[in-house]
Amino acid sequence: MKKILLTLSLFLMICLNCNAEETLPNVQFEIRDYDGVQLDTGTFIPVMNTTEVSTQNCPEGFKTVFISTNDMYLGEVNVIPKNTIFYGRVEDLHEPVIGTNGSMKIKIVKMVYPDGFETAVRGYIYTSNNNILGGELTPPENYIKMPHYQTRYKAATLQLRPGRERKMGVHTTLRAGENKLIILTDPLWITHTLTN
């Protein structure tokens, strides 16, 4: 009797399993690709400044905000959508002195997608001077007149040579609405993308 019940229950389970597979609809779910994308070191991201930052009135550690000005694609994937917000802070601030303008670096530490997703970023506002904003040499305070003798005409002409003294430096200001570039100093691994 036990063998018959066991055989019947196995047969019934096999039949129910076969019927269940036949009655389920063949649905294909569209799954997003979550492999992730890496933006390499040295990648430039175009952004716009939202607040005025100056060596005159901003201390070290002053928080800055930048907004991406256009969509950034890698292949067909929109890795950094337009209006992504980048947060940073002022570091390495120097006041103007005689001979040199004020200078600062702005380090970027976080980006926030338009849907609120946050990612840590390591980068700087880019300049060709090792990412230092400002710090230029000031013009000479005065010029010295020097005679320049020409052998052909046996006459002297006066030329102006810069003197040793330099003018007082001025403060460096990054104005609101100014377009800049962020350069990544570490690779940025992006696993979150917005879908329309």
Side-chain angles (χ1 to χ4, degrees), residues 35-143:
D35 288 343
V37 176
Q38 180 176 342
L39 293 179
D40 293 327
T41 302
T43 301
F44 291 110
I45 303 167
V47 292
M48 181 181 68
N49 187 19
T50 60
T51 57
E52 184 172 298
V53 183
S54 174
T55 57
Q56 184 173 11
N57 53 14
C58 297
E60 268 190 41
F62 181 80
K63 294 182 176 159
T64 59
V65 180
F66 296 87
I67 297 177
S68 64
T69 54
N70 52 3
D71 293 328
M72 186 170 172
Y73 286 88
L74 191 60
E76 295 181 5
V77 180
N78 186 0
V79 290
I80 299 178
K82 186 176 181 178
N83 298 328
T84 299
I85 300 172
F86 290 87
Y87 292 95
R89 65 176 178 266
V90 174
E91 69 174 30
D92 200 23
L93 182 86
H94 296 282
E95 294 286 327
V97 293
I98 293 175
T100 308
N101 293 331
S103 67
M104 63 183 159
K105 279 186 167 186
I106 298 179
K107 183 176 186 175
I108 304 299
V109 294
K110 178 173 76 169
M111 87 175 174
V112 179
Y113 283 94
D115 66 353
F117 185 81
E118 297 181 7
T119 303
V121 177
R122 288 186 184 162
Y124 284 94
I125 295 298
Y126 174 76
T127 65
S128 59
N129 185 21
N130 197 22
N131 302 326
I132 298 172
L133 297 164
E136 302 91 1
L137 195 63
T138 59
E141 183 71 38
N142 54 23
Y143 289 89

Side-chain angles (χ1 to χ4, degrees), residues 145-151 154-160:
K145 293 180 181 178
M146 297 277 305
H148 178 70
Y149 294 99
Q150 298 177 358
T151 56
K154 297 183 181 180
T157 56
L158 284 178
Q159 289 186 335
L160 295 177

